[in-house]
């Protein structure tokens, strides 16, 4: 009996150590993924028809790998297959058995092209975005939330850095555009009903209008406008059906049947969000005339029982904290929606970790 108890206790200790190690080394998954992006591994496999050996990957990687690094590449690919980014299977031929790597649904999203998510993932994993979290514990010891974790590390906001560092600015803009294109393609297909019946919509803080253009293309009868700061609107494309308006969402929002807020409110605290929402309410007609605000954002916890959904949501909530941003659960959304004077809302959880929230005056 004593031996059994001792064995159980030791196993519990080992299980506890495993839990710590699993979390401690979890960042290696991100670094392995970053290496795959830096080397263009998904494109290398794709160029071989979707399946490739280590030698083939090494020869097509960007830049080409020196043969001495092929054993190290095997270890990198072992992590990337264990985490589901790539697949691996033994193929037998006359020369014996060889491990062949393939694309999974996740890595297919990293293959170059207009639908690739590589720019967004590269942005999130860039050293400029990763380094602030090394000081997270120090930031928690500050009395106030300002400066943000990002500002504490880099001495300026991401938007200031975007304006003054052309290389980072290009990466930042490409990352935002690719994420917007990806999610909006699904929004117009899965949530098209939220745009039906509208004659006009204004995309607030819509940058260069990627989301508005997706709505305009899918629903040509809807007059789409984008509101953003003057220096953003000044760089808007000229030949498009979307109208660009220079302004400030904290001051005034142009009138429309609906206001679209895509990943806007998570950048702001409750007081600022309530001010933005109040301006949205002034811009739209009453509910019985079709007026509404359409929010695309996360609802922490949501209605999904998927553990990976919930974990990704809370991880992103901690991530966005580095610019003093916040993701909200339903009760937190309800609070700011009602305090802004709206009467009701509806959550449509069909966008993976994100949702559509329809808000009614």
């Amino acid at each position: 009996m004593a031996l059994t108890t001792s064995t159980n206790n030791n196993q519990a200790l080992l299980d506890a150590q495993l839990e710590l190690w699993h979390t401690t080394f979890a960042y290696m998954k991100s670094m392995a993924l970053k290496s795959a992006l830096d080397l263009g591994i998904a494109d290398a496999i794709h160029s071989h028809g979707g399946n490739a050996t280590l030698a083939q990957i090494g020869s097509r990687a960007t830049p080409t790998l020196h043969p001495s690094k092929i054993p190290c590449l095997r270890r990198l690919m072992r992590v990337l297959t264990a985490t589901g980014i790539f697949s691996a299977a033994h193929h037998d031929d006359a020369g014996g058995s060889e491990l062949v790597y393939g694309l999974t649904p996740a890595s297919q999203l990293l293959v170059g092209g207009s639908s690739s998510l590589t720019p967004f993932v590269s942005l999130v994993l860039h050293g400029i975005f990763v380094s602030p979290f090394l000081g997270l514990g120090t930031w928690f010891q500050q009395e106030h939330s300002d400066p943000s974790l990002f500002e504490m590390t880099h001495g300026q906001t991401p938007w200031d850095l975007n304006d003054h560092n052309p290389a980072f600015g290009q990466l930042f803009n490409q990352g935002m555009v690719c994420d917007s294109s990806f999610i909006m393609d699904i929004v117009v297909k899965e949530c098209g009903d939220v745009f039906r019946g509208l004659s006009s919509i204004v995309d607030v803080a819509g940058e260069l209008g990627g989301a508005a253009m997706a709505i305009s293309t899918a629903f040509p009868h809807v007059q789409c406008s984008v509101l953003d700061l003057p220096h953003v609107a000044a760089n808007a494309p000229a030949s498009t059906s979307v109208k660009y308006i220079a302004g400030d969402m904290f001051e005034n929002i142009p009138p429309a049947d609906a206001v679209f807020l895509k990943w806007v409110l998570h950048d702001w605290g409750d007081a600022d969000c309530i001010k933005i929402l109040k301006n949205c309410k002034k811009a739209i007609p009453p509910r019985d005339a079709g007026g509404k605000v359409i929010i695309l954002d996360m609802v922490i916890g949501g209605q999904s029982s998927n553990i990976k959904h919930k974990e990704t949501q809370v991880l992103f909530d901690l991530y966005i904290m580095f610019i003093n941003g916040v993701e909200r659960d339903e009760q937190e959304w309800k609070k700011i929606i009602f305090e802004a004077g709206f009467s009701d809302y509806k959550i449509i959880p069909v966008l993976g970790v994100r949702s559509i929230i329809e808000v009614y005056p």
Side-chain angles (χ1 to χ4, degrees):
M1 182 66 178
L3 180 59
T4 302
T5 300
S6 176
T7 299
N8 290 339
N9 288 341
N10 288 335
Q11 187 58 52
L13 289 171
L14 291 171
D15 290 343
Q17 182 199 45
L18 173 61
E19 193 69 35
L20 288 175
W21 278 38
H22 189 260
T23 300
T24 299
F25 293 109
Y27 78 98
M28 292 308 301
K29 295 192 291 185
S30 297
M31 294 302 99
L33 176 57
K34 184 180 186 304
S35 296
L37 300 178
D38 293 343
L39 297 172
I41 291 177
D43 285 324
I45 295 174
H46 179 71
S47 70
H48 280 281
N51 292 284
T53 64
L54 282 177
Q56 290 170 333
I57 294 171
S59 67
R60 290 292 183 93
T62 309
T64 302
L65 297 188
H66 189 275
S68 66
K69 289 296 176 65
I70 296 301
C72 298
L73 178 63
R74 175 183 63 81
R75 294 160 67 182
L76 174 65
M77 293 303 295
R78 186 161 57 189
V79 171
L80 293 167
T81 55
T83 55
I85 303 299
F86 297 104
S87 63
H90 284 279
H91 283 206
D92 296 324
D93 56 28
S97 180
E98 188 168 17
L99 204 56
V100 175
Y101 299 92
L103 298 173
T104 64
S107 49
Q108 285 172 354
L109 293 177
L110 303 177
V111 174
S114 60
S115 61
S116 173
L117 291 185
T118 291
F120 178 75
V121 180
S122 296
L123 173 65
V124 174
L125 295 179
H126 192 282
I128 288 176
F129 273 15
V130 172
S131 59
F133 291 96
L134 297 176
L136 183 59
T138 301
W139 179 81
F140 266 108
Q141 297 170 43
Q142 293 182 181
E143 183 178 352
H144 303 291
S145 59
D146 289 322
S148 69
L149 179 59
F150 190 95
E151 289 177 275
M152 187 182 80
T153 304
H154 298 297
Q156 55 189 325
T157 70
W159 299 276
D160 290 335
L161 187 60
N162 183 20
D163 292 339
H164 298 108
N165 183 327
F168 176 76
Q170 182 180 22
L171 179 67
F172 186 88
N173 292 330
Q174 288 176 344
M176 294 297 99
V177 167
C178 99
D179 178 65
S180 180
S181 299
F182 173 82
I183 198 64
M184 287 306 301
D185 182 57
I186 297 173
V187 165
V188 297
K189 293 174 182 176
E190 297 295 328
C191 308
D193 286 346
V194 304
F195 304 107
R196 301 192 199 285
L198 300 176
S199 60
S200 60
I201 188 169
V202 57
D203 181 8
V204 171
E207 299 177 331
L208 299 183
M213 282 188 271
I215 296 170
S216 179
T217 300
F219 306 97
H221 64 282
V222 180
Q223 181 181 349
C224 297
S225 303
V226 172
L227 173 72
D228 216 313
L229 296 171
H231 73 278
V232 177
N235 293 317
S239 57
T240 172
S241 59
V242 173
K243 179 182 179 182
Y244 292 87
I245 303 168
D248 186 338
M249 63 187 173
F250 287 102
E251 300 297 331
N252 180 65
I253 293 175
D257 288 346
V259 173
F260 187 50
L261 298 169
K262 180 183 69 66
W263 269 33
V264 174
L265 298 183
H266 73 188
D267 288 341
W268 305 96
D270 286 2
D272 286 327
C273 284
I274 291 168
K275 186 171 184 178
I276 295 167
L277 287 170
K278 283 182 175 180
N279 285 341
C280 290
K281 189 170 183 290
K282 293 176 185 176
I284 59 176
R287 182 174 184 177
D288 57 11
K292 60 183 174 181
V293 177
I294 304 167
I295 299 171
L296 196 167
D297 215 312
M298 288 186 186
V299 180
I300 298 290
Q303 300 177 28
S304 173
S305 59
N306 187 309
I307 297 300
K308 189 171 286 187
H309 276 201
K310 293 182 178 180
E311 183 176 357
T312 301
Q313 288 176 334
V314 298
L315 287 172
F316 189 87
D317 178 45
L318 184 63
Y319 174 76
I320 201 71
M321 194 170 69
F322 85 144
I323 57 167
N324 289 342
V326 58
E327 294 296 349
R328 297 172 170 89
D329 61 27
E330 182 173 354
Q331 290 305 308
E332 291 166 329
W333 278 113
K334 182 178 180 179
K335 176 179 178 292
I336 63 172
I337 287 169
F338 287 163
E339 287 190 19
F342 289 87
S343 64
D344 200 5
Y345 67 92
K346 180 173 71 174
I347 297 173
I348 308 171
V350 294
L351 298 175
V353 297
R354 291 179 273 195
S355 295
I356 289 286
I357 309 172
E358 283 190 301
V359 182
Y360 310 108

